[in-house]
Amino acid sequence: MYQMDTTLPADAVDFIDDAKLEAMVAGMREDPEAVRRVIAKSLRKEALTVEETATLLGAESPALVEEIFEAARTLKREVYGNRIVFFAPLYVGNYCMNDCKYCGFRRSLTSTVRRTLSDADLVREVEALEDLGHKRLILVYGESPKYDPDFIAHTVRTVYATKKGHGEIRRVNINAAPLDEAGFRTVKQAGIGTYQIFQETYHKRTYAAWHPANTMKGNYLWRLNAFDRAFRAGIDDMGLGVLFGLYDWRFEVLAMVTHARYLQEKFGVGPHTLSFPRIKPAEGLDLNLKWQVTDAQYKRLVAILRLAVPYTGLIMTAREPAELRREVLAFGVSQIDAGTKLEIGGYQETRKEGEQTLNREQFQVGDTRSLDEVIGEILEGCYIPSFCTSCYRLGRTGEHFMEYAIPGFIGRFCTPNALLTLSEYLADYASPATRAKGEALVAAEVEKLEPKLKAEVLDRLRRVRAGERDLHF
């Protein structure tokens, strides 16, 4: 059996200075001139310091907050265009040796229905997702000896090998427990995309209160240094995350920016994505929490993260209600999930729309609409739904991705690839109403391309309509 080496190396670093960040939060004061200077720097596509991020967090007056929102909208358009990348989470197993007090999968919760997908069940889940049109998945695992690196690698390979009709999964990301270097090397060899680990809360006292010390997750520094081990193992595509609502949202934003800058300075590559879910109802959870984040605060934190880390993808999940997701998309979100089901084996089952059973799920989903419904709405907002995975498969990740992204060259790949993957979806999976909206948007977007690129895109669109798939730049 695999034995993970949990010995912290001599160079393990606690780079989160709680006292410093708390002092910054306590000292926040609105300074309109300083806020506008910071906004101007961000609009030059320069990453912000932690102190500059604190300046934005200090803005409270509605007019100044609206200036932050407008800057985030501008930066989103300039860096990512009007693309929104789609993915789906797929829960592989919910056995867990941790006892996180906010989680419906915690080990002490005896009402939770426990299950691990067999290979046959995993194939059926993937086929069900492919039948909807998904091309990108994030596999989610509890922290258990059952889900060791060999098991994770095996499930990744199974997903990639599962193809139905025109359906195939082209990128498999991972949300799983931190591993040692050997474990990270094992999962990398399976061809994973992003490895996502949430610190949950960076505030040490709060972390200890929610994560019992006699569990793997109770080791704050082991988790904090996980990406250092991943980089040494050759993984250069990371996803950071915080579960907002456990502690002061302003502290957590500053800590996320601190973590991003630490990785950039130490390894030359910052995180590929940031996630910012809010704590939601779960089996056995009392939601009477001191630090719950309001919708207004949520909008601000998303916009400020967009300005603080211009080239980092922002992921907004279906934890949030549809109404809020519609509004926040414009503030810099680049990836969302849709048609999400959290129950183990849930994509195979037919249930009424919106029906959830908390003793089978990690938490309550806020946006229960289908993938086609969400895409239809996105198209009405003149966004391009994208299932593109070309950068990852062509090696444009880590430092290479930044070489393309920072000068803005990525734009010559992203819009064309988004249009091609959208056209695949429209041809193979869309409802008639969504197909009509999508074809109109594709035609309008092609007209915006420069002539040489337009000709190449039109040729590939013709080939997609003729039945070819996976044509990408």
Side-chain angles (χ1 to χ4, degrees):
M1 179 180 290
Y2 172 79
Q3 293 292 324
M4 185 159 59
D5 179 6
T6 59
T7 304
L8 284 168
D11 63 348
V13 179
D14 182 1
F15 49 83
I16 301 295
D17 185 336
D18 286 39
K20 176 183 176 181
L21 298 185
E22 286 183 314
M24 292 174 72
V25 171
M28 285 177 181
R29 301 290 184 271
E30 182 170 279
D31 183 340
E33 290 186 7
V35 167
R36 292 176 183 126
R37 285 196 298 271
V38 172
I39 287 174
K41 177 180 178 179
S42 183
L43 290 177
R44 295 195 297 270
K45 303 180 183 65
E46 298 177 28
L48 302 183
T49 66
V50 178
E51 291 77 12
E52 289 166 335
T53 306
T55 297
L56 297 182
L57 289 166
E60 294 283 352
S61 62
L64 197 56
V65 169
E66 181 54 39
E67 289 185 42
I68 291 173
F69 289 162
E70 184 55 36
R73 295 184 189 105
T74 299
L75 200 59
K76 164 69 169 64
R77 290 193 297 268
E78 292 183 357
V79 175
Y80 290 93
N82 58 342
R83 297 171 301 112
I84 300 292
V85 174
F86 279 80
F87 70 95
L90 172 53
Y91 279 67
V92 179
N94 65 350
Y95 286 89
C96 195
M97 59 196 293
N98 292 317
D99 212 15
C100 311
K101 297 177 183 179
Y102 48 78
C103 183
F105 292 162
R106 63 189 182 275
R107 73 182 186 195
S108 63
L109 198 59
T110 58
S111 58
T112 298
V113 178
R114 307 285 177 179
R115 184 181 176 190
T116 301
L117 293 177
S118 66
D119 282 359
D121 281 331
L122 178 58
V123 168
R124 285 191 287 269
E125 285 285 277
V126 174
E127 289 179 341
L129 285 160
E130 290 175 347
D131 283 343
L132 298 173
H134 281 291
K135 296 289 189 288
R136 303 162 62 107
L137 301 184
I138 183 163
L139 303 186
V140 186
Y141 311 77
E143 185 162 1
S144 165
K146 295 175 179 287
Y147 314 133
D148 65 17
D150 289 327
F151 176 84
I152 293 174
H154 171 73
T155 56
V156 169
R157 293 187 178 102
T158 300
V159 170
Y160 280 134
T162 302
K163 304 179 190 299
K164 184 179 180 185
H166 280 147
E168 63 175 341
I169 303 303
R170 297 171 183 167
R171 177 171 171 86
V172 178
N173 299 328
I174 300 294
N175 183 306
L179 303 174
D180 59 10
E181 285 188 44
F184 279 123
R185 282 193 291 273
T186 296
V187 296
K188 176 181 171 55
Q189 290 167 3
I192 67 164
T194 303
Y195 201 102
Q196 186 183 77
I197 300 170
F198 289 10
Q199 190 67 23
E200 315 295 11
T201 172
Y202 284 93
H203 188 253
K204 295 180 184 65
R205 188 171 65 252
T206 302
Y207 187 95
W210 287 95
H211 307 100
N214 61 339
T215 63
M216 280 293 294
K217 201 164 181 178
N219 190 334
Y220 178 97
L221 199 56
W222 170 258
R223 196 169 190 87
L224 187 67
N225 280 256
F227 292 133
D228 295 57
R229 300 191 297 276
F231 269 114
R232 287 194 288 266
I235 296 176
D236 61 2
D237 204 308
M238 314 295 183
L240 307 184
V242 161
L243 181 55
F244 280 90
L246 299 181
Y247 190 59
D248 190 318
W249 66 280
R250 297 168 298 175
F251 177 98
E252 304 291 14
V253 169
L254 294 177
M256 289 182 83
V257 173
T258 300
H259 199 165
R261 291 184 66 86
Y262 166 81
L263 294 175
Q264 179 69 46
E265 290 165 6
K266 185 170 182 177
F267 299 101
V269 183
H272 187 72
T273 60
L274 297 181
S275 297
F276 32 86
R278 292 187 293 180
I279 194 165
K280 294 294 180 180
E283 179 77 357
L285 172 66
D286 178 6
L287 258 186
N288 185 24
L289 303 174
K290 176 182 178 181
W291 298 106
Q292 287 194 75
V293 176
T294 67
D295 287 356
Q297 292 167 340
Y298 188 77
K299 295 172 192 175
R300 286 172 61 193
L301 75 86
V302 175
I304 289 169
L305 285 172
R306 174 73 294 144
L307 296 177
V309 282
Y311 293 100
T312 299
L314 298 186
I315 298 176
M316 180 174 57
T317 71
R319 284 179 184 252
E320 305 305 330
E323 297 78 11
L324 185 63
R325 296 224 294 176
R326 292 186 191 104
E327 187 172 355
V328 175
L329 274 182
F331 297 160
V333 170
S334 55
Q335 296 186 31
I336 63 172
D337 55 334
T340 295
K341 297 185 180 179
L342 305 185
E343 180 178 344
I344 313 297
Y347 292 107
Q348 303 169 56
E349 299 182 4
T350 302
R351 289 191 177 187
K352 294 180 181 178
E353 183 178 328
E355 184 179 351
Q356 299 176 67
T357 307
L358 282 185
N359 70 342
R360 295 174 179 269
E361 304 180 27
Q362 191 179 21
F363 53 84
Q364 188 175 80
V365 174
D367 186 351
T368 59
R369 295 174 298 165
S370 69
L371 175 63
D372 191 77
E373 286 178 284
V374 177
I375 285 182
E377 181 180 90
I378 291 290
L379 289 166
E380 289 175 1
C382 295
Y383 292 103
I384 307 173
S386 175
F387 298 88
C388 179
T389 60
S390 65
C391 282
Y392 316 109
R393 291 185 292 151
L394 295 174
R396 298 194 291 254
T397 63
E399 289 183 274
H400 301 294
F401 175 80
M402 298 308 288
E403 288 170 3
Y404 281 95
I406 288 178
F409 295 155
I410 201 70
R412 70 179 61 168
F413 303 107
C414 292
T415 296
N417 285 331
L419 294 174
L420 291 170
T421 59
L422 172 58
S423 294
E424 290 183 350
Y425 175 82
L426 297 175
D428 296 335
Y429 307 105
S431 65
T434 298
R435 184 177 301 116
K437 295 176 192 174
E439 289 175 348
L441 183 132
V442 169
E445 291 293 329
V446 168
E447 289 303 313
K448 300 176 185 178
L449 301 175
E450 58 90 14
K452 184 175 185 299
L453 183 57
K454 176 182 175 181
E456 293 180 29
V457 171
L458 284 172
D459 176 67
R460 297 187 192 200
L461 287 171
R462 176 188 58 75
R463 291 162 61 188
V464 167
R465 295 182 185 113
E468 288 189 63
R469 294 295 177 267
D470 199 18
L471 303 174
H472 52 268
F473 289 83

